Amino acid sequence: MKTRAILGAAGGVALGLLLFGFVGTASAANHGGVSSGEANFSAPDQLTWHDILPGVIPAPRGWTVTVNTYGNYLDIHSDGREIATNGVELFRYPLESFTDIDPSRGNYTLRQFARNYYRIFREDRAAGYGDAYIFTADPIVQVQFGGLKGIRFGFTGRLNGEVFDRYVNYVAFDSEYVYLIATTHDKGSEGIFGFDRLADLRTFEPYLLRLVGSLTLGR
């Protein structure tokens, strides 16, 4: 079974955990230990896009990026066409929620976080789809996350030769919090979360990189 379905069955799990978290996945349960993000996620600390957006939001020509009603998602439109519903997610969690992010180890601990993410999602997809699903991890890249040092990571999954899902994630931390930004194209959630079209996500990815770097967070 796919991670999204497993987490959904667990009851009311936020999209932040669907993109980043490993709570309730089959593979996490099999490992028995605590993985990245598998800790106290009862509620994220309240932080909205309004709090950290720059004055100008990078976007392709003709695209409009707006903050949703609740403040934790970006919606994206172009000439009246809805490109991404709840398209880019923002969450902030207390640092102590992540048992394996060690601030003293800096960028290395974030890279380990991403490697754990890859391991769990790879195992989860293999358990659900077998050899029909090909998991390809993105390189883990250090990026500017506002005024903080963070990383970008993600993956693309092909099912029976066609792209089935793509996830793009950013994570950084300071002395108090872990900050998460994520987006997706997922055929299992079209019209609900993320980008309906893979091409639109690909087009927006370099703009999202610029946006994450220009956030007012940590400045």
Side-chain angles (χ1 to χ4, degrees):
M1 182 180 292
K2 195 177 171 188
T3 304
R4 181 179 300 280
I6 293 169
L7 291 174
V13 183
L15 179 63
L17 296 186
L18 298 178
L19 295 182
F20 277 98
F22 316 119
V23 180
T25 63
S27 50
N30 290 339
H31 282 281
V34 176
S35 302
S36 296
E38 191 184 333
N40 300 317
F41 281 121
S42 56
D45 182 86
Q46 186 61 37
L47 178 72
T48 73
W49 281 108
H50 294 295
D51 298 324
I52 62 173
L53 281 175
V56 177
I57 302 176
R61 184 181 299 275
W63 289 30
T64 302
V65 180
T66 59
V67 180
N68 78 340
T69 303
Y70 301 103
N72 60 331
Y73 297 103
L74 297 179
D75 294 330
I76 305 172
H77 296 79
S78 174
D79 297 325
R81 178 172 70 91
E82 191 170 63
I83 293 176
T85 305
N86 299 321
V88 184
E89 183 192 30
L90 167 70
F91 270 104
R92 176 177 73 177
Y93 289 95
L95 182 60
E96 60 268 20
S97 294
F98 291 80
T99 58
D100 62 353
I101 289 185
D102 180 357
S104 68
R105 305 188 76 180
N107 184 257
Y108 174 82
T109 198
L110 290 179
R111 289 179 176 273
Q112 187 60 43
F113 177 94
R115 285 190 285 268
N116 287 345
Y117 173 98
Y118 289 155
R119 172 180 56 81
I120 287 182
F121 271 84
R122 182 182 289 109
E123 292 177 359
D124 184 84
R125 297 303 195 262
Y129 298 116
D131 294 339
Y133 186 96
I134 305 300
F135 179 99
T136 303
D138 292 354
I140 301 169
V141 180
Q142 182 171 327
V143 298
Q144 198 67 31
F145 195 120
L148 305 174
K149 297 296 184 183
I151 61 168
R152 176 193 179 280
F153 61 105
F155 70 89
T156 299
R158 291 182 176 272
L159 185 61
N160 297 319
E162 296 185 359
V163 174
F164 184 77
D165 52 5
R166 172 155 178 76
Y167 286 74
V168 180
N169 309 314
Y170 292 83
V171 61
F173 65 87
D174 58 21
S175 61
E176 296 182 87
Y177 297 103
V178 175
Y179 303 92
L180 310 170
I181 291 174
T183 189
T184 181
H185 161 73
D186 187 325
K187 290 187 176 180
S189 62
E190 290 178 355
I192 302 172
F193 294 115
F195 289 76
D196 287 348
R197 294 168 46 181
L198 176 63
D200 288 335
L201 173 56
R202 293 288 196 186
T203 297
F204 192 68
E205 284 186 38
Y207 294 90
L208 180 58
L209 176 64
R210 287 169 52 193
L211 173 60
V212 172
S214 65
L215 298 174
T216 62
L217 179 71
R219 298 187 187 278

